[in-house]
Amino acid sequence: DEAKGKLALAEEQGRELTSKLHVSEVRSQQLGNELKAEQLRSEESGRLVTRLRDDMEQLQKELDEVRDFYETTDERTRCRHLITEWEKRDLRKQIREIKSKKNAPALLKRLSLKYHPDKNVVGLQWLFSALQIEINSASMALGDER
Protein backbone atom coordinates (compact mmCIF):
# COMPACT_ATOMS: atom_id res chain seq x y z
CA ASP A 1 0.00 0.00 0.00
CA GLU A 2 2.79 2.36 0.91
CA ALA A 3 4.59 1.43 -2.29
CA LYS A 4 1.47 2.24 -4.30
CA GLY A 5 1.26 5.63 -2.60
CA LYS A 6 4.91 6.39 -3.40
CA LEU A 7 4.36 5.22 -6.99
CA ALA A 8 1.26 7.44 -7.34
CA LEU A 9 3.19 10.36 -5.86
CA ALA A 10 6.12 9.72 -8.24
CA GLU A 11 3.72 9.53 -11.20
CA GLU A 12 2.09 12.81 -10.15
CA GLN A 13 5.50 14.48 -9.83
CA GLY A 14 6.44 13.03 -13.23
CA ARG A 15 3.29 14.55 -14.81
CA GLU A 16 4.06 17.91 -13.16
CA LEU A 17 7.63 17.79 -14.43
CA THR A 18 6.42 16.80 -17.91
CA SER A 19 3.96 19.70 -17.85
CA LYS A 20 6.69 22.09 -16.70
CA LEU A 21 8.99 20.73 -19.41
CA HIS A 22 6.31 21.33 -22.05
CA VAL A 23 5.76 24.90 -20.78
CA SER A 24 9.55 25.45 -20.88
CA GLU A 25 9.76 24.10 -24.43
CA VAL A 26 6.92 26.37 -25.58
CA ARG A 27 8.54 29.38 -23.90
CA SER A 28 11.90 28.43 -25.38
CA GLN A 29 10.27 28.32 -28.84
CA GLN A 30 8.68 31.74 -28.22
CA LEU A 31 12.02 33.20 -27.12
CA GLY A 32 13.68 31.67 -30.18
CA ASN A 33 11.07 33.28 -32.44
CA GLU A 34 11.51 36.62 -30.67
CA LEU A 35 15.26 36.34 -31.08
CA LYS A 36 14.89 35.63 -34.81
CA ALA A 37 12.55 38.60 -35.18
CA GLU A 38 15.01 40.82 -33.31
CA GLN A 39 17.86 39.60 -35.51
CA LEU A 40 15.81 40.47 -38.61
CA ARG A 41 15.06 43.93 -37.19
CA SER A 42 18.74 44.34 -36.38
CA GLU A 43 19.76 43.33 -39.91
CA GLU A 44 17.19 45.74 -41.37
CA SER A 45 18.48 48.48 -39.07
CA GLY A 46 22.01 47.71 -40.24
CA ARG A 47 20.94 47.97 -43.87
CA LEU A 48 19.13 51.22 -43.10
CA VAL A 49 22.20 52.65 -41.35
CA THR A 50 24.35 51.65 -44.32
CA ARG A 51 21.89 53.21 -46.77
CA LEU A 52 21.74 56.40 -44.67
CA ARG A 53 25.53 56.52 -44.47
CA ASP A 54 25.75 56.11 -48.25
CA ASP A 55 23.13 58.85 -48.72
CA MET A 56 25.06 61.13 -46.37
CA GLU A 57 28.28 60.51 -48.29
CA GLN A 58 26.49 61.25 -51.56
CA LEU A 59 25.01 64.46 -50.15
CA GLN A 60 28.42 65.50 -48.83
CA LYS A 61 29.92 64.85 -52.26
CA GLU A 62 27.18 66.93 -53.90
CA LEU A 63 27.67 69.69 -51.32
CA ASP A 64 31.41 69.69 -52.04
CA GLU A 65 30.68 69.91 -55.77
CA VAL A 66 28.29 72.83 -55.22
CA ARG A 67 30.79 74.55 -52.95
CA ASP A 68 33.53 74.02 -55.54
CA PHE A 69 31.23 75.29 -58.29
CA TYR A 70 30.44 78.47 -56.37
CA GLU A 71 34.06 79.05 -55.45
CA THR A 72 35.37 78.57 -58.99
CA THR A 73 32.71 80.21 -61.19
CA ASP A 74 31.75 83.78 -61.80
CA GLU A 75 28.43 85.27 -60.72
CA ARG A 76 26.96 85.25 -64.22
CA THR A 77 27.59 81.52 -64.61
CA ARG A 78 26.16 80.81 -61.16
CA CYS A 79 23.03 82.78 -61.97
CA ARG A 80 22.59 80.94 -65.25
CA HIS A 81 23.01 77.65 -63.45
CA LEU A 82 20.40 78.53 -60.82
CA ILE A 83 17.93 79.77 -63.42
CA THR A 84 18.46 76.63 -65.50
CA GLU A 85 17.92 74.31 -62.55
CA TRP A 86 14.83 76.24 -61.48
CA GLU A 87 13.35 76.11 -64.98
CA LYS A 88 14.25 72.44 -65.39
CA ARG A 89 12.39 71.63 -62.20
CA ASP A 90 9.28 73.39 -63.47
CA LEU A 91 9.66 71.75 -66.86
CA ARG A 92 10.00 68.29 -65.31
CA LYS A 93 6.75 68.91 -63.44
CA GLN A 94 5.04 69.81 -66.73
CA ILE A 95 6.51 66.71 -68.38
CA ARG A 96 5.24 64.45 -65.56
CA GLU A 97 1.76 65.88 -66.04
CA ILE A 98 1.97 65.45 -69.82
CA LYS A 99 3.17 61.83 -69.62
CA SER A 100 -0.04 60.82 -67.87
CA LYS A 101 -2.17 62.06 -70.76
CA LYS A 102 -3.26 60.09 -73.79
CA ASN A 103 -1.83 62.53 -76.33
CA ALA A 104 1.52 62.84 -74.56
CA PRO A 105 3.70 62.66 -77.70
CA ALA A 106 1.85 65.59 -79.31
CA LEU A 107 1.97 67.60 -76.08
CA LEU A 108 5.70 66.96 -75.72
CA LYS A 109 6.21 68.06 -79.33
CA ARG A 110 4.28 71.27 -78.60
CA LEU A 111 6.43 71.82 -75.49
CA SER A 112 9.53 71.19 -77.58
CA LEU A 113 8.52 73.88 -80.05
CA LYS A 114 7.71 76.30 -77.22
CA TYR A 115 11.20 75.93 -75.73
CA HIS A 116 13.16 75.56 -78.98
CA PRO A 117 16.37 77.64 -78.76
CA ASP A 118 16.07 78.98 -82.32
CA LYS A 119 12.56 80.34 -81.75
CA ASN A 120 13.24 82.31 -78.57
CA VAL A 121 15.27 85.22 -77.30
CA VAL A 122 18.83 84.95 -78.57
CA GLY A 123 20.29 85.89 -75.20
CA LEU A 124 18.50 82.97 -73.53
CA GLN A 125 19.60 80.24 -75.93
CA TRP A 126 21.68 78.69 -73.14
CA LEU A 127 18.50 78.20 -71.10
CA PHE A 128 16.33 76.90 -73.91
CA SER A 129 19.06 74.50 -75.02
CA ALA A 130 19.16 72.99 -71.54
CA LEU A 131 15.36 72.72 -71.44
CA GLN A 132 15.32 71.16 -74.89
CA ILE A 133 17.59 68.38 -73.61
CA GLU A 134 15.06 67.62 -70.85
CA ILE A 135 12.19 67.50 -73.34
CA ASN A 136 14.12 65.26 -75.74
CA SER A 137 14.98 62.86 -72.90
CA ALA A 138 11.33 62.71 -71.88
CA SER A 139 10.26 62.09 -75.48
CA MET A 140 12.76 59.27 -75.85
CA ALA A 141 11.69 57.72 -72.54
CA LEU A 142 8.04 57.96 -73.58
CA GLY A 143 8.88 56.25 -76.86
CA ASP A 144 10.61 53.43 -74.94
CA GLU A 145 7.56 52.99 -72.69
CA ARG A 146 5.14 52.65 -75.59
Side-chain angles (χ1 to χ4, degrees):
D1 224 18
E2 189 178 323
K4 284 184 183 181
K6 286 183 179 180
L7 181 61
L9 183 60
E11 286 175 348
E12 180 62 31
Q13 288 175 343
R15 283 191 292 275
E16 286 178 17
L17 288 174
T18 301
S19 176
K20 287 180 181 178
L21 177 63
H22 178 70
V23 168
S24 293
E25 288 173 344
V26 168
R27 184 65 186 139
S28 175
Q29 183 68 33
Q30 288 173 338
L31 290 174
N33 291 341
E34 290 174 16
L35 178 62
K36 286 178 187 175
E38 189 58 38
Q39 286 172 334
L40 289 174
R41 280 192 294 273
S42 177
E43 289 172 7
E44 182 60 30
S45 294
R47 285 190 292 272
L48 181 60
V49 166
T50 300
R51 193 168 47 235
L52 289 172
R53 188 176 297 125
D54 291 347
D55 289 349
M56 267 182 39
E57 288 173 4
Q58 180 63 31
L59 287 173
Q60 186 61 48
K61 180 180 171 189
E62 290 172 11
L63 178 62
D64 292 343
E65 289 172 1
V66 168
R67 189 175 291 127
D68 182 55
F69 174 77
Y70 276 85
E71 290 173 356
T72 60
T73 57
D74 59 60
E75 187 174 347
R76 180 174 183 244
T77 303
R78 289 193 302 265
C79 288
R80 279 186 171 191
H81 175 75
L82 289 172
I83 291 168
T84 301
E85 291 305 311
W86 186 268
E87 291 296 326
K88 279 184 182 180
R89 188 174 62 190
D90 287 346
L91 181 66
R92 288 179 189 131
K93 183 178 175 185
Q94 289 178 43
I95 289 171
R96 277 193 305 278
E97 291 170 3
I98 286 173
K99 281 183 164 183
S100 64
K101 297 183 178 171
K102 210 174 198 174
N103 60 341
L107 293 172
L108 281 174
K109 181 69 174 168
R110 191 173 305 141
L111 199 61
S112 176
L113 292 174
K114 177 180 176 184
Y115 288 112
H116 198 283
D118 295 338
K119 301 199 187 259
N120 284 289
V121 180
V122 175
L124 294 177
Q125 282 185 337
W126 54 269
L127 173 61
F128 292 108
S129 294
L131 298 178
Q132 194 66 42
I133 291 169
E134 292 289 320
I135 296 168
N136 292 342
S137 296
S139 295
M140 288 174 48
L142 187 64
D144 291 344
E145 292 173 8
R146 292 179 190 255

